[in-house]
Amino acid sequence: MRVVNDVLEIAEKIKTMEIRGAGKIARFAALALQIQAEKSKAQTADELWNETKEAARLLYHTRPTAVSLPNALRYVTYRAKAAYSGGASLEELRFVIINSAKEFIHNSENAVKRIAEFGAKRIEDGDIIMTHCHSKAAIGVMKKAWEDGKDIKVIVTETRPLYQGKLTAKELAEAGIPVIYVVDGAARHYMKMTDKVVMGADSITANGAVINKVGTALLALTAKEHRVWVMIAAETYKFHPETLLGQLVEIEERDPYEVVPKEELATWPKNIVVKNPAFDVTPPEYIDVIITEKSVIPPSAAIAILKEEFGWALKYTEPWED
């Protein structure tokens, strides 16, 4: 059993956040399984299935919070498992894995376009929008509104400690959109001039709570205080199936050296502990709508999306765990 080097490299890039953003992570996870099937030296269907499970397990443990990653793995491996259990030959199984991965990637890319179309309709000419972190779905909404001729400005928070806001600011500016780039702590100061908040999501739970980059909940709370609409742009594969069973979402704790450089931290008093949670949880009452590729829904309708997309999760064993 051997996981190919390209898959190991993708897993490492996801873990170190060289590959970042829930949608991009999901697409690369599916691509990794595709590459594993394409480059595998397996001689039998048994060997290929075991390699696929090993690759999926490796990828699954790279980022515990972004549910898009396991949902991508589930999409491919459930179809592969069904084919394998049905007696597929080596080449038939290889085809199913490759085709399922390509299908997931295609659906994911189209989902972002559909979300942009739905979301842009809810942006008005003259709106000033605030956003946080770097979300392709959220950026898509703003770019589509701009392309539709709406005169908008976007306030982008820097998003400490890895400054994903810089990526968002540059991407929006390259599209021609006027951007105001601010430190995270200035969000409340600028909320009084904001018309709408548009952000992405890494995971969405059965009750409509949103797990996203740390700082999202503070923005949503500030927006509620100022009676500013909060719109979350998220593909349906970011809805968290395990939360139907009451499972809590694990919040990833990242390296403290992302917050304080190692050399500097070494000089600090030893009774200072630096914590670096990557995500926080925004309660559904702070969110007005969730924009998916299927429709625009209130947070309370999240459970309907979960049942429609992941009804099989109620059984629950991961396909790579047997």
Side-chain angles (χ1 to χ4, degrees), residues 15-219:
K15 189 173 183 179
T16 59
M17 290 183 67
E18 189 175 335
I19 294 171
R20 64 177 73 176
K24 194 171 183 181
I25 288 170
R27 288 186 286 276
F28 267 93
L31 178 63
L33 295 182
Q34 176 187 329
I35 291 169
Q36 180 66 40
E38 288 171 340
K39 296 193 172 183
S40 171
K41 306 291 189 194
Q43 300 296 309
T44 66
D46 287 345
E47 287 179 18
L48 180 57
W49 174 233
N50 285 330
E51 287 178 8
T52 302
K53 289 194 293 183
E54 184 64 28
R57 280 193 291 268
L58 174 73
L59 291 157
Y60 178 72
H61 290 292
T62 55
R63 297 290 304 276
T65 302
V67 74
S68 60
L69 188 152
N71 279 348
L73 300 176
R74 288 171 190 133
Y75 189 96
V76 178
T77 55
Y78 262 93
R79 286 157 179 76
K81 184 176 183 178
Y84 173 73
S85 301
S89 68
L90 171 62
E91 291 311 315
E92 286 170 343
L93 180 59
R94 196 192 310 272
F95 174 81
V96 168
I97 294 167
I98 292 169
N99 196 55
S100 298
K102 288 180 176 178
E103 188 175 69
F104 179 88
I105 293 165
H106 175 76
N107 290 346
S108 168
E109 288 169 342
N110 278 351
V112 172
K113 293 175 188 172
R114 291 284 291 162
I115 288 167
E117 290 167 2
F118 284 137
K121 291 175 183 175
R122 283 153 180 81
I123 304 297
E124 296 175 41
D125 190 41
D127 272 352
I128 296 176
I129 300 164
M130 187 178 291
T131 192
H132 185 64
C133 201
H134 183 250
S135 161
K136 284 291 183 186
I139 288 170
V141 169
M142 294 177 275
K143 285 173 73 173
K144 183 68 169 70
W146 178 259
E147 288 164 6
D148 288 346
K150 294 173 182 175
D151 181 23
I152 62 171
K153 290 186 178 70
V154 182
I155 300 167
V156 178
T157 55
E158 62 177 357
T159 319
R160 282 268 297 152
L162 295 182
Y163 303 102
Q164 291 98 326
K166 290 181 180 179
L167 300 173
T168 300
K170 289 174 184 176
E171 197 166 334
L172 293 171
E174 284 166 4
I177 301 171
V179 173
I180 301 170
Y181 181 78
V182 302
V183 300
D184 293 343
R188 188 177 186 278
H189 175 76
Y190 285 97
M191 192 62 74
K192 59 180 172 285
M193 63 182 281
T194 300
D195 298 295
K196 292 181 179 75
V197 173
V198 180
M199 298 182 285
D202 280 80
S203 299
I204 297 175
T205 68
N207 73 337
V210 168
I211 293 88
N212 196 45
K213 178 67 182 177
V214 69
T216 299
L218 277 174
L219 247 69

Side-chain angles (χ1 to χ4, degrees), residues 273-307:
V273 177
V274 178
K275 305 295 283 183
N276 184 19
F279 304 93
D280 60 22
V281 181
T282 303
E285 55 267 27
Y286 295 169
I287 299 160
D288 292 283
V289 293
I290 300 172
I291 307 161
T292 78
E293 72 274 20
K294 294 183 179 294
S295 61
V296 179
I297 62 169
S300 58
I303 193 165
I305 292 284
L306 279 163
K307 286 181 177 177

